[in-house]
């Protein structure tokens, strides 16, 4: 079994920055893909960013392109999401997720999920 634990959420003013971390533990697979998703109450969970094992391929939602950067440190089994120029509409619970294969945007195709970390952006 794989455990994912997010950290780094909090309250920040609009225009500010936060860096989220997601640490994987337990049974870890080689060459796994990591993704970040977010969800607000009453809405479906949506894809934010994803990264391949090598880090050579990343993918972003249009709404965060140019503001967010996903990266990973495989030695630490950790993936990061650097979020800059935050907007109030970025307020959500952010989740990390793991799957094998390629970066995809569909939540159902990820096998393991963290518990989430709250990000609140005030105006």
């Amino acid at each position: 079994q794989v455990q994912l634990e997010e950290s780094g959420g909090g309250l920040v003013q609009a225009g500010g920055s936060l860096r989220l971390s997601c640490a994987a533990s337990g049974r870890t697979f080689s060459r796994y893909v990591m993704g970040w998703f977010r969800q607000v109450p009453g809405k479906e969970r949506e894809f934010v960013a994803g990264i391949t094992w090598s880090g050579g391929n990343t993918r972003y939602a249009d709404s965060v392109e140019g503001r967010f950067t996903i990266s990973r440190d495989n030695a630490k089994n950790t993936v990061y999401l650097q979020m800059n120029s935050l907007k109030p509409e970025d307020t959500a619970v952010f989740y990390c997720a793991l799957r094998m294969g390629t970066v995809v945007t569909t939540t159902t195709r990820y096998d393991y999920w963290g518990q989430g970390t709250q990000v609140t952006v005030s105006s």
Side-chain angles (χ1 to χ4, degrees):
Q1 192 72 322
V2 175
Q3 291 81 42
L4 302 176
E5 183 173 3
E6 303 96 338
S7 61
L11 173 65
V12 64
Q13 289 187 334
S17 299
L18 281 175
R19 189 178 82 153
L20 305 182
S21 299
C22 173
S25 61
R27 178 189 176 190
T28 54
F29 307 93
S30 62
R31 303 191 178 279
Y32 52 89
V33 165
M34 296 295 294
W36 284 99
F37 292 76
R38 64 186 180 187
Q39 189 171 23
V40 298
K43 293 190 176 181
E44 292 187 352
R45 195 168 296 186
E46 65 174 6
F47 174 81
V48 174
I51 188 168
T52 54
W53 168 259
S54 68
N57 186 17
T58 57
R59 187 172 177 179
Y60 297 92
D62 290 343
S63 58
V64 306
E65 181 82 55
R67 299 189 297 123
F68 291 10
T69 302
I70 189 170
S71 62
R72 66 190 295 166
D73 183 342
N74 291 335
K76 297 181 179 179
N77 289 324
T78 300
V79 64
Y80 305 97
L81 185 68
Q82 178 66 44
M83 305 186 295
N84 298 329
S85 302
L86 282 162
K87 305 175 181 179
E89 51 264 43
D90 293 318
T91 296
V93 177
F94 281 71
Y95 299 88
C96 64
L98 181 152
R99 71 182 303 271
M100 302 303 294
T102 60
V103 175
V104 297
T105 63
T106 309
T107 58
T108 56
R109 296 179 68 181
Y110 284 79
D111 300 306
Y112 299 95
W113 292 85
Q115 294 298 308
T117 185
Q118 176 71 46
V119 171
T120 303
V121 184
S122 63
S123 57

